[in-house]
mmCIF file of all heavy atoms in Angstrom:
data_model
loop_
_atom_site.group_PDB
_atom_site.id
_atom_site.type_symbol
_atom_site.label_atom_id
_atom_site.label_comp_id
_atom_site.label_asym_id
_atom_site.label_seq_id
_atom_site.Cartn_x
_atom_site.Cartn_y
_atom_site.Cartn_z
ATOM 1 N N MET A 94 208.105 -147.106 206.567
ATOM 2 C CA MET A 94 208.100 -145.676 206.877
ATOM 3 C C MET A 94 207.357 -144.908 205.791
ATOM 4 O O MET A 94 207.876 -144.735 204.697
ATOM 5 C CB MET A 94 209.543 -145.169 206.921
ATOM 6 C CG MET A 94 210.290 -145.611 208.147
ATOM 7 S SD MET A 94 209.604 -144.861 209.606
ATOM 8 C CE MET A 94 210.445 -145.849 210.836
ATOM 9 N N CYS A 99 201.171 -133.680 206.374
ATOM 10 C CA CYS A 99 200.564 -132.932 207.482
ATOM 11 C C CYS A 99 199.761 -131.780 206.902
ATOM 12 O O CYS A 99 200.270 -131.027 206.081
ATOM 13 C CB CYS A 99 201.659 -132.399 208.415
ATOM 14 S SG CYS A 99 201.055 -131.206 209.622
ATOM 15 N N GLU A 109 208.250 -138.370 212.310
ATOM 16 C CA GLU A 109 207.884 -137.125 212.994
ATOM 17 C C GLU A 109 206.490 -137.196 213.624
ATOM 18 O O GLU A 109 206.074 -136.261 214.303
ATOM 19 C CB GLU A 109 207.916 -135.949 212.005
ATOM 20 C CG GLU A 109 209.320 -135.577 211.546
ATOM 21 C CD GLU A 109 209.318 -134.316 210.675
ATOM 22 O OE1 GLU A 109 208.284 -133.615 210.604
ATOM 23 O OE2 GLU A 109 210.365 -134.038 210.065
ATOM 24 N N CYS A 112 200.740 -141.994 216.142
ATOM 25 C CA CYS A 112 199.380 -142.376 215.769
ATOM 26 C C CYS A 112 198.512 -142.435 217.010
ATOM 27 O O CYS A 112 198.933 -142.928 218.052
ATOM 28 C CB CYS A 112 199.390 -143.729 215.072
ATOM 29 S SG CYS A 112 197.747 -144.224 214.518
ATOM 30 N N GLU A 119 183.891 -139.777 219.306
ATOM 31 C CA GLU A 119 183.735 -138.552 220.083
ATOM 32 C C GLU A 119 183.533 -138.886 221.548
ATOM 33 O O GLU A 119 182.788 -139.803 221.888
ATOM 34 C CB GLU A 119 182.542 -137.757 219.557
ATOM 35 C CG GLU A 119 182.599 -136.312 219.986
ATOM 36 C CD GLU A 119 181.384 -135.527 219.494
ATOM 37 O OE1 GLU A 119 180.737 -135.988 218.534
ATOM 38 O OE2 GLU A 119 181.087 -134.477 220.086
ATOM 39 N N GLU A 126 175.553 -139.816 232.264
ATOM 40 C CA GLU A 126 174.219 -140.313 231.913
ATOM 41 C C GLU A 126 174.290 -141.667 231.214
ATOM 42 O O GLU A 126 173.263 -142.219 230.842
ATOM 43 C CB GLU A 126 173.516 -139.320 230.985
ATOM 44 C CG GLU A 126 173.831 -137.885 231.329
ATOM 45 C CD GLU A 126 172.627 -137.073 231.743
ATOM 46 O OE1 GLU A 126 171.639 -137.096 231.017
ATOM 47 O OE2 GLU A 126 172.723 -136.448 232.818
ATOM 48 N N ASN A 141 189.693 -151.798 214.440
ATOM 49 C CA ASN A 141 190.915 -152.495 214.032
ATOM 50 C C ASN A 141 190.760 -153.167 212.672
ATOM 51 O O ASN A 141 190.836 -154.384 212.537
ATOM 52 C CB ASN A 141 191.308 -153.526 215.102
ATOM 53 C CG ASN A 141 192.744 -153.979 214.914
ATOM 54 O OD1 ASN A 141 193.549 -153.275 214.316
ATOM 55 N ND2 ASN A 141 193.073 -155.159 215.400
ATOM 56 N N GLN A 146 191.000 -147.467 206.946
ATOM 57 C CA GLN A 146 190.763 -147.107 208.341
ATOM 58 C C GLN A 146 190.878 -145.592 208.504
ATOM 59 O O GLN A 146 191.768 -144.973 207.939
ATOM 60 C CB GLN A 146 191.782 -147.830 209.216
ATOM 61 C CG GLN A 146 191.657 -147.516 210.684
ATOM 62 C CD GLN A 146 192.358 -148.556 211.547
ATOM 63 O OE1 GLN A 146 191.855 -149.659 211.772
ATOM 64 N NE2 GLN A 146 193.543 -148.220 212.011
ATOM 65 N N VAL A 162 193.627 -139.100 209.263
ATOM 66 C CA VAL A 162 194.236 -139.748 208.104
ATOM 67 C C VAL A 162 193.334 -140.909 207.689
ATOM 68 O O VAL A 162 192.831 -141.643 208.546
ATOM 69 C CB VAL A 162 195.650 -140.288 208.462
ATOM 70 C CG1 VAL A 162 196.202 -141.146 207.348
ATOM 71 C CG2 VAL A 162 196.602 -139.135 208.770
ATOM 72 N N ASP A 165 194.899 -147.175 204.293
ATOM 73 C CA ASP A 165 194.626 -148.589 204.074
ATOM 74 C C ASP A 165 195.649 -149.373 204.885
ATOM 75 O O ASP A 165 196.837 -149.348 204.576
ATOM 76 C CB ASP A 165 194.735 -148.915 202.575
ATOM 77 C CG ASP A 165 194.248 -150.329 202.267
ATOM 78 O OD1 ASP A 165 194.361 -151.190 203.167
ATOM 79 O OD2 ASP A 165 193.757 -150.557 201.152
ATOM 80 N N ASN A 168 198.110 -151.941 203.076
ATOM 81 C CA ASN A 168 199.272 -151.579 202.253
ATOM 82 C C ASN A 168 199.818 -150.190 202.596
ATOM 83 O O ASN A 168 200.697 -149.687 201.898
ATOM 84 C CB ASN A 168 198.930 -151.654 200.754
ATOM 85 C CG ASN A 168 197.801 -150.708 200.383
ATOM 86 O OD1 ASN A 168 197.431 -149.819 201.158
ATOM 87 N ND2 ASN A 168 197.246 -150.888 199.204
ATOM 88 N N MET A 177 191.159 -131.764 212.106
ATOM 89 C CA MET A 177 190.182 -132.079 213.141
ATOM 90 C C MET A 177 188.940 -131.208 212.935
ATOM 91 O O MET A 177 189.064 -130.037 212.609
ATOM 92 C CB MET A 177 190.776 -131.790 214.518
ATOM 93 C CG MET A 177 191.703 -132.866 215.011
ATOM 94 S SD MET A 177 190.805 -134.389 215.239
ATOM 95 C CE MET A 177 192.159 -135.563 215.209
ATOM 96 N N ILE A 183 186.425 -138.319 201.896
ATOM 97 C CA ILE A 183 185.948 -139.529 201.225
ATOM 98 C C ILE A 183 185.096 -140.266 202.245
ATOM 99 O O ILE A 183 185.511 -140.454 203.385
ATOM 100 C CB ILE A 183 187.116 -140.448 200.815
ATOM 101 C CG1 ILE A 183 188.245 -139.620 200.197
ATOM 102 C CG2 ILE A 183 186.648 -141.536 199.886
ATOM 103 C CD1 ILE A 183 189.547 -140.371 200.090
#
Side-chain angles (χ1 to χ4, degrees):
Chain A
M94 286 293 168
C99 169
E109 291 186 11
C112 183
E119 199 182 340
E126 324 242 309
N141 196 23
Q146 179 162 282
V162 171
D165 189 331
N168 60 14
M177 281 296 160
I183 316 165

